[in-house]
Amino acid sequence: AARIRAAMRVDVPVGVFFAFPTVEGLAAWIAGEGAPGEADDPSVLGPADRSRPIPLSAEQERLWFLSYVGDTESSYTVSKGLRLEGIEIDLGRLARSFSIVVERHEALRTVFPAVEGQGRQHVLPPAPFVLPSVDLRAVPARERPAETRRVAGLEAVRPFDLERGPLFRALVVRTGDTEYVLLTNLHHIVTDAWSTGILVQELMECYQALSTGREPVLPRLPVQYADYAGWQRRWLESPAADEQLRYWKRQLAGLPALDLCPDRARPARVSYRGGSLRMQLSAELSARLRALAERERVTLFMLLLAGFKVVLAHYSRQRDVVVGIDAANRRTVELERLIGFFINELVLRSDLSGDPAFTALLGRVRDVTLGAYQNQDLPFGLLVKELVGRRDLGTNPLFQVMFGLKNAPRPDVALDGLRVHPVEVASEVAVFELCLYMEETPREIFGLFTYRTDLFDAATIEAMRSDLVEVLERVSEHPGVGVEELVGNLGVRERERRAERTRIAEQAGRRMLKSVQRKAIPITSPPE
């Protein structure tokens, strides 16, 4: 305790607190008993051995395998769009900004050849970034938004070549004299959501510096992604990795598959065709949910996840509910500003049995979430290998439903005369059977459902959205309500919805029959 109190009087970088899994480890570092940099310490990031082929990280290894044996050409493309308005963009200067960022981050110029049947990282030398552009000013103004979406969609599904690269491409679509849409597409094997924020931030910083005749000055990167991959391999041989594996084996023993009773049977071959549906919680409801989370000493993420699990319990008719989440997995200060694929999938298993009050369920979700984050370093692929063994490429192992609350860093963009806004790039790919990603803004909370259209109808997802809003409305006003009462009310609503859909279908059928009867042509017997 004395050492921790001493830390409050010294300048300790924020990232250091994430480098140590225990308070004791942090205290030892403060006291100088475990200073980072010791080569024999598997918890310390250091330079990788570049004299031999660079191995893949465990996360990369899983995607490399899926890309080569699965039908996933566009399933792991990370597509982002930025709308740039207000000034005329110098495309040459923008391309130079891309070149600087790509030279700075080795991950953006890495390819993945196979060496003796195993994927390896090969870092290409820096080269000028190719930035193509499309000018739509000759297209009628009213047609430009649709044409921009069409171009963005084509770019998003264009496959990557993992062996030859590049695995990062960009395209500028000019929609007016001072209006542009910048599209970026990266293979997930070299990036994640956190990295996207870093990319935009550094790109804009470089462009601003070049616009004023200065050379960009960015903070030095102490390590590169290859160093992280080498460190992870060393860590996986440490006692800490064994302890985390034991935790997950205990936590996931007898894990059931969550069956949401989809509208159609699972096909033999997964197509990854997807649909999406947006949702928005009112400012009033969002405020009540934040207040409830504060009173119950849980995060907003935990509260929204608990509400989502109630809805999943209704649709699956199960009380052992399993959901996957993404962990940023950047627990050392060296990784905070590095572009690469660090994200790790965690499995959150919650027990909804015994008709707990929703406040009690919040406590269960909190405990499970904290335990998962404390053991987040074990790669998901290794966990699958230990618990599942031979995997079915048609089904995601361990969980089929994903949940997330966006908390990646937002790029701080401030350029004279230039307005920068994110643009949604529609994706028709669904990696998981069902996903719900939510985002908190200062006023409202937004969400996006994505789902496999091979399994679910749009009407089912719309009903699920309505059910989630109803659950959140109810618990925001009566947090002590029991889970079974919440689920039972959703059952009544579902029966009412089905009856209403049946009534509407019958009315439509009767109208169609009358229309056909009115337009029917009398049939007369032919003359004998």
Side-chain angles (χ1 to χ4, degrees), residues 96 151 187 255 289 342 399 524:
R96 168 66 178 145
V151 171
H187 195 288
L255 187 73
L289 293 175
F342 297 98
F399 65 88
T524 58

Side-chain angles (χ1 to χ4, degrees), residues 108-136:
L108 297 179
R109 45 190 173 89
T110 298
V111 292
F112 299 87
V115 178
E116 298 180 352
Q118 299 293 322
R120 291 291 183 265
Q121 295 189 60
H122 176 61
V123 181
L124 299 175
F129 189 82
V130 177
L131 181 61
S133 63
V134 175
D135 194 336
L136 299 183

Side-chain angles (χ1 to χ4, degrees), residues 179 308 343 347 376 461 464 508 524:
E179 298 176 355
F308 186 43
I343 202 167
V347 186
Q376 66 175 286
I461 307 303
M464 192 175 293
T524 58

Side-chain angles (χ1 to χ4, degrees), residues 230-242:
W231 164 82
Q232 186 189 57
R233 295 293 174 178
R234 296 193 303 273
W235 182 86
L236 287 173
E237 298 176 358
S238 70
D242 295 334

Side-chain angles (χ1 to χ4, degrees), residues 299-523:
T299 64
L300 181 64
F301 169 88
M302 296 172 186
L303 192 155
L304 295 173
L305 175 59
F308 186 43
K309 287 201 170 189
V310 170
V311 175
L312 296 177
H314 163 60
Y315 281 83
S316 66
R317 301 180 179 87
Q318 298 172 221
R319 297 299 180 265
D320 191 351
V321 179
V322 181
V323 172
I325 66 169
D326 286 331
N329 201 25
R330 295 172 183 257
R331 300 227 280 176
T332 68
V333 66
E334 295 92 342
L335 305 180
E336 288 181 357
R337 298 298 305 172
L338 190 62
I339 290 177
F341 180 32
F342 297 98
I343 202 167
N344 191 27
E345 292 171 354
L346 306 180
V347 186
L348 298 189
R349 180 183 188 181
S350 297
D351 178 13
L352 279 70
S353 64
D355 191 20
F358 185 78
T359 50
L361 175 60
L362 284 177
R364 297 182 187 183
V365 171
R366 177 184 57 217
D367 294 343
V368 167
T369 303
L370 293 178
Y373 275 115
Q374 188 175 356
N375 295 274
Q376 66 175 286
D377 305 292
L378 192 75
F380 181 75
L382 179 59
L383 185 61
V384 170
K385 184 177 180 180
E386 289 286 338
L387 298 183
V388 179
R390 183 180 179 85
R391 61 167 296 181
D392 178 8
L393 294 178
T395 304
N396 194 69
L398 301 183
F399 65 88
Q400 296 77 42
V401 178
M402 175 70 82
F403 177 82
L405 177 64
K406 185 176 180 180
N407 63 352
R410 287 177 174 271
D412 183 16
V413 179
L415 297 180
D416 292 339
L418 181 64
R419 300 185 300 275
V420 181
H421 308 286
V423 175
E424 181 181 348
V425 179
S427 175
E428 297 180 354
V429 174
V431 177
F432 299 96
E433 293 185 6
L434 177 67
C435 288
L436 174 57
Y437 283 111
M438 307 198 76
E439 180 176 3
E440 183 183 12
T441 68
R443 283 180 52 81
E444 296 95 353
I445 298 171
F446 296 89
L448 177 68
F449 284 91
T450 62
Y451 59 96
R452 287 187 181 169
T453 54
D454 287 348
L455 299 178
F456 298 101
D457 293 329
T460 300
I461 307 303
E462 290 172 0
M464 192 175 293
R465 176 181 62 181
S466 299
D467 288 337
L468 178 57
V469 173
E470 180 179 346
V471 167
L472 295 176
E473 287 275 10
R474 182 75 188 282
V475 300
S476 71
E477 297 176 347
H478 305 285
V481 64
V483 167
E484 293 303 325
E485 182 178 340
L486 289 171
V487 173
N489 288 340
L490 295 183
V492 172
R493 283 283 304 276
E494 178 62 21
R495 288 191 293 272
E496 292 175 349
R497 279 194 294 259
R498 289 179 180 175
E500 179 65 13
R501 286 199 295 266
T502 300
R503 185 183 66 79
I504 293 174
E506 290 176 348
Q507 288 180 345
R510 287 193 293 269
R511 286 195 299 269
M512 182 178 297
L513 179 60
K514 291 180 180 178
S515 176
V516 171
Q517 290 173 342
R518 285 196 301 268
K519 297 179 181 179
I521 300 175
I523 300 177

Side-chain angles (χ1 to χ4, degrees), residues 107-226:
L108 297 179
R109 45 190 173 89
T110 298
V111 292
F112 299 87
V115 178
E116 298 180 352
Q118 299 293 322
R120 291 291 183 265
Q121 295 189 60
H122 176 61
V123 181
L124 299 175
F129 189 82
V130 177
L131 181 61
S133 63
V134 175
D135 194 336
L136 299 183
R137 285 179 293 177
V139 177
R142 64 179 181 278
E143 299 177 12
R144 291 175 197 169
E147 182 63 14
T148 301
R149 289 192 295 271
R150 187 188 71 83
V151 171
L154 291 176
E155 280 293 296
V157 299
R158 189 153 62 92
F160 290 101
D161 186 334
L162 286 181
E163 291 200 4
R164 287 191 286 263
L167 302 182
F168 172 31
R169 59 176 181 258
L171 174 69
V172 175
V173 180
R174 188 167 191 176
T175 58
D177 292 339
T178 58
E179 298 176 355
Y180 308 79
V181 174
L182 173 61
L183 303 171
T184 62
N185 288 277
L186 298 89
H187 195 288
H188 204 344
I189 203 169
V190 299
T191 191
D192 55 22
W194 188 292
S195 298
T196 302
I198 297 172
L199 172 63
V200 174
Q201 178 71 47
E202 294 190 352
L203 180 67
M204 293 295 103
E205 287 183 18
C206 289
Y207 186 85
Q208 184 177 34
L210 294 174
S211 298
T212 57
R214 297 179 292 108
E215 280 297 313
V217 179
L218 298 171
R220 185 185 69 86
L221 294 175
V223 295
Q224 291 288 341
Y225 191 85

